[in-house]
Amino acid sequence: MNNNNSNNLELRVKSSTENLSLIREFVSSSALSFLIRKEVIDKLILAVDEAASNIIRHAYKNSPEGVIIITFICDDKECTIILTDYGTGFNPTQVKSPDMVSYLKEKKRGGLGIHLMKILMDEVDYLSVSGEYNKLVLKKKIA
């Protein structure tokens, strides 16, 4: 874990599901260091866990050799968490919000990660530079 400046913490891990607990702990401890309320921390952890799981599953196709960089930036008003990967790009704007009634009726599993992130966070942005990197930016107001 690097501390680039007082408001910018960073964690680099391999793209293995075994590192999801380390990622959750990083988000939790980073948020606690900024004295963020527990209900907000829980939302941050859940959104980042979903995002990291998607990166492992989709960007890196479950290969444990990829790298995920989680950058945690916070000020008095807002927390920003940036997940950077170097895997296959993805356009989350093409993912439609699910029809939850039919989703539950059909007993579907998975596919709710982006929908969940949008509910939990105030802002979800995605940038993909083909062949170079992908950045998922999650923002949550804390004030």
Side-chain angles (χ1 to χ4, degrees):
M1 181 166 48
N2 298 332
N3 190 346
N4 299 339
N5 66 45
S6 62
N7 296 343
N8 193 340
L9 303 167
E10 186 177 278
L11 174 71
R12 287 174 176 258
V13 294
K14 290 288 189 181
S15 58
S16 166
T17 54
E18 293 170 11
N19 287 326
L20 289 173
S21 60
L22 188 62
I23 291 169
R24 288 189 297 268
E25 178 54 38
F26 168 73
V27 172
S28 177
S29 62
S30 297
L32 282 170
S33 73
F34 289 102
L35 305 175
I36 296 170
R37 297 184 324 274
K38 183 180 178 344
E39 63 270 18
V40 174
I41 293 174
D42 291 344
K43 290 177 182 179
L44 293 172
I45 291 169
L46 186 53
V48 172
D49 189 64
E50 277 297 327
S53 296
N54 282 350
I55 290 169
I56 292 165
R57 193 175 312 118
H58 301 296
Y60 289 123
K61 313 283 189 257
N62 293 312
S63 164
E65 293 309 306
V67 173
I68 303 172
I69 303 166
I70 297 100
T71 307
F72 192 102
I73 305 162
C74 220
D75 60 28
D76 296 343
K77 296 177 179 67
E78 183 176 70
C79 274
T80 302
I81 302 172
I82 303 167
L83 291 92
T84 305
D85 71 80
Y86 304 94
T88 304
F90 167 72
N91 185 349
T93 60
Q94 293 177 337
V95 176
K96 293 183 176 76
S97 291
D99 173 351
M100 291 307 294
V101 173
S102 66
Y103 183 92
L104 294 170
K105 224 183 262 182
E106 296 169 26
K107 294 184 171 72
K108 289 184 179 176
R109 294 181 53 150
L112 295 178
I114 300 228
H115 180 66
L116 191 58
M117 284 179 244
K118 287 178 179 176
I119 290 171
L120 295 168
M121 298 292 103
D122 294 312
E123 201 176 312
V124 177
D125 292 313
Y126 183 80
L127 171 67
S128 181
V129 177
S130 187
E132 292 190 38
Y133 63 84
N134 307 300
K135 284 188 186 288
L136 178 65
V137 181
L138 305 171
K139 293 186 178 191
K140 184 72 178 164
K141 289 178 179 50
I142 57 171

